[in-house]
Amino acid sequence: MATSPLPFDVQPPEYGEHYNVGPWPATLTKLVVASYNIRYARGPFLISGGILRKVGLLPAGGRDKTVQRNIRTAASAFTNGVLLPPIDLLALQEADKSTVRSGGVHVARELANEMKMRWTHAAAGIPRGIKPVDRQWWLDFEEPIQLFDEGDTGVSIISRHPLEDVTRIDLPWNECLWRPRLAMAGTIRIGATRIRVLNVHVDPHAASGGQLEQLEAITQHALDAGGPTIVVGDFNTLSKAKCRDTREFMEQRGFTTPFATGTATWRGAGLRLHADWIFTRALTVERFGVARPLNASDHWPVWAEIGVR
């Protein structure tokens, strides 16, 4: 399994404030799960914002206010029941921790605090002082983390009640070697039922084969854990072929999704693509959807209401 030769700082998951300290109710019959690539809460304008940044017209000040405003908007959407049912668990990708581009805000912590929920965060471990390699032009609109930025990005899980056995999963990657790829997992215990939840952020730079290599590591973790499983996240299936290959790969390993292939979960410059998915195994999805319009990111959240027996 190929991995980057570059060293990077692997840190254990970080845990936040303990809201809702009680266990998951043993009588719970429905679990609402959502996934959101929040793009460090900088708003929906990835491509136009990237162009303005490249020509020096994007203001450097006020980022913290923009990020905090977007976090409040997202927190309201995830709790008020309008765009989607109030959630029990939220998987975040591109959750920056105190980077310059996020205005110094710890995105997962502030969002969880707004929602009065628990949080855990796994940092990517961006190598310090290593200049990013050239990327595909169509992926070069994202503002990179600065070479000596003390912050980081990563994946997070925000949860109404405790998660057990939280695990960082480092993924194999060969493209964009300055950006480590990872997933994280945690277990929900509802009475005698244990549900393993995996939050993934697949490499957009990789060809389909490279993406499936990362999914192999993720599904192997799920198979080793056994039992009911939910796999959510940004799969970066930015073409019809990648959508098809990812769906077939997951279905061959016993996972199903309620989302039709091609469901728009990302938009930019007039394009709409299917990047974000929810897959389950040994569970029944009763309702699902895409939370539009929520403009804290260039992605829209995907959500599913899952029956718990």
Side-chain angles (χ1 to χ4, degrees):
M1 184 175 292
T3 57
S4 165
L6 295 176
F8 60 98
D9 187 17
V10 177
Q11 297 291 331
E14 174 188 9
Y15 297 88
E17 291 77 3
H18 287 181
Y19 293 105
N20 300 306
V21 295
W24 292 86
T27 56
L28 188 69
T29 60
K30 297 182 188 299
L31 180 71
V32 178
V33 176
S35 175
Y36 192 28
N37 182 326
I38 197 167
R39 197 177 77 86
Y40 36 99
R42 283 287 299 278
F45 303 112
L46 170 65
I47 294 178
S48 59
I51 293 172
L52 291 175
R53 175 177 56 82
K54 287 174 177 293
V55 299
L57 296 178
L58 189 67
R63 296 183 180 197
D64 57 335
K65 294 182 176 61
T66 298
V67 169
Q68 292 284 9
R69 181 175 64 252
N70 287 330
I71 285 173
R72 290 191 296 270
T73 298
S76 177
F78 288 124
T79 56
N80 65 17
V82 176
L83 295 180
L84 70 165
I87 66 159
D88 299 301
L89 185 143
L90 171 63
L92 289 179
Q93 304 87 42
E94 293 194 36
D96 276 20
K97 175 184 176 181
S98 307
T99 61
V100 171
R101 69 183 185 180
S102 69
V105 177
H106 191 317
V107 172
R109 181 184 67 195
E110 296 306 315
L111 180 58
N113 287 345
E114 287 284 339
M115 298 168 63
K116 297 296 187 289
M117 294 173 67
R118 293 166 170 255
W119 62 273
T120 181
H121 176 80
I126 301 295
R128 301 295 187 266
I130 298 176
K131 186 177 180 180
V133 297
D134 291 337
R135 303 181 289 178
Q136 297 93 332
W137 68 268
W138 50 277
L139 289 170
D140 200 29
F141 295 102
E142 177 184 353
E143 180 180 358
I145 294 176
Q146 296 181 9
L147 292 184
F148 296 97
D149 194 330
E150 295 183 358
D152 210 332
T153 192
V155 293
S156 303
I157 298 177
I158 295 175
S159 176
R160 189 173 301 282
H161 296 287
L163 291 177
E164 301 175 358
D165 191 21
V166 175
T167 307
R168 173 194 177 102
I169 306 169
D170 289 294
L171 303 178
W173 86 104
N174 299 293
E175 302 288 340
C176 198
L177 299 181
W178 63 278
R179 172 71 181 273
R181 293 289 163 177
L182 78 160
M184 69 184 307
T187 297
I188 298 170
R189 180 162 52 89
I190 302 172
T193 301
R194 293 177 181 269
I195 302 173
R196 193 67 169 161
V197 180
L198 289 90
N199 174 16
V200 311
H201 190 192
V202 174
D203 189 355
H205 306 269
S208 186
Q211 291 190 331
L212 297 185
E213 186 180 13
Q214 295 184 351
L215 292 181
E216 184 67 54
I218 291 162
T219 54
Q220 187 60 54
H221 178 95
L223 292 172
D224 291 343
T229 309
I230 305 169
V231 181
V232 303
D234 179 3
F235 289 71
N236 272 307
T237 44
L238 303 178
S239 70
K240 290 181 179 179
K242 287 183 176 181
C243 282
R244 181 193 64 239
D245 292 347
T246 289
R247 187 183 195 110
E248 290 180 355
F249 181 93
M250 297 298 289
E251 289 178 345
Q252 288 169 0
R253 284 151 181 79
F255 291 89
T256 61
T257 181
F259 292 92
T261 301
T263 300
T265 68
W266 176 91
R267 81 287 201 189
L271 299 172
R272 293 194 173 196
L273 301 173
H274 188 172
D276 309 272
W277 297 77
I278 296 176
F279 291 94
T280 62
R281 184 187 63 186
L283 291 165
T284 301
V285 175
E286 299 182 354
R287 293 194 298 157
F288 63 96
V290 181
R292 305 189 191 102
L294 177 58
N295 293 321
S297 167
D298 54 338
H299 290 249
W300 290 302
V302 292
W303 63 271
E305 185 179 81
I306 298 169
V308 178
R309 291 184 293 179

